[in-house]
Amino acid sequence: EGPVIRFGSTRERHEVIARYLARLTAHRPAIVWLDDVQWGSDALAFAQHLLDTQERAPSRVLLVLTARSEALSETPLEREMFEQLVSRPEVEQVRVGPLGDEHWAPLVGELLGLEGELALRVEERAAGNPLFAIQLVGDWVERGLLLPGEHGFEPRAGTSGLELPRDLHQVWLARVELLLADRTKEDEPALEIAAALGQEVTGDEWRAACALANIDAPDALVETLLGRHLAGTNE
């Protein structure tokens, strides 16, 4: 197993990452993408730290932070931190609007294979968010609520109206809950640790973190995540 690095504080961890980026970009610039920061006060704090330390530890880094405005309204701490960031002169805020109406019919009808009333309901709830629509239909297929029909996906016989989640977060939450329902309760904390480690996690890092928490890191859980397209691999 790989070494375990412990930091005395969040600031120390941010400082180590900032110094690493300074060395990494000594000869070529880099782009660092922090996604879904409406749920990540730590990511927002790191962005603030990196900007604050540019004079003494300059790095040629373009930070790209993405956030969903409707979700920010539900997370007061992250919203305040986000507003502090965008108020800085070196930060540019770019608003990305929903997909245009003219593109929705091809997406829902041709790519997702939906039609009729169900297609209209998905279009209305997704409100121009393609990822929401794709993940929603994928969740329905995964749970066996949609089956291939003559002209596209159709609700399974006996399904009286498909429930439409409020947002993409609920879609992912439902898929994770479905995954955990088929596994032992010990897998839940192991999955939480993997999520806390970030978007990319090495096996050694995950097992070491689980060992610190005195829980197992089940390889079968990884295989299930990959099989249900809730995780990917670089191999």
Side-chain angles (χ1 to χ4, degrees), residues 113-119 121-122 140-141 144-150 152-163:
L114 299 180
E115 59 181 18
E117 180 185 355
L118 183 58
R121 291 176 61 205
V122 171
W140 283 344
V141 173
L145 301 178
L146 287 182
L147 296 175
E150 183 177 354
F153 286 117
E154 299 175 352
R156 175 187 288 274
T159 302
S160 57
L162 294 174
E163 180 182 356

Side-chain angles (χ1 to χ4, degrees), residues 180-225:
L180 293 174
D182 296 332
R183 304 197 58 82
T184 64
K185 61 181 181 180
E186 287 78 12
D187 285 351
E188 184 172 350
L191 182 59
E192 290 177 348
I193 288 175
L197 290 173
Q199 292 281 346
E200 296 188 8
V201 183
T202 66
D204 288 343
E205 180 184 32
W206 181 47
R207 284 186 285 271
C210 287
L212 289 174
N214 295 318
I215 62 175
D216 293 329
D219 291 333
L221 175 61
V222 177
E223 296 300 322
T224 303
L225 289 168

Side-chain angles (χ1 to χ4, degrees), residues 1-49:
E1 295 183 353
V4 177
I5 302 176
R6 295 181 175 87
F7 299 99
S9 67
T10 299
R11 183 176 180 82
E12 289 181 5
R13 177 160 51 85
H14 291 169
E15 182 65 19
V16 169
I17 299 174
R19 291 180 181 179
Y20 169 74
L21 289 175
R23 295 186 60 182
L24 183 67
T25 60
H27 302 292
R28 59 184 299 181
I31 298 175
V32 176
W33 175 30
L34 304 177
D35 192 21
D36 282 335
V37 296
Q38 71 273 359
W39 297 310
S41 58
D42 185 61
L44 290 163
F46 169 70
Q48 193 79 258
H49 177 86

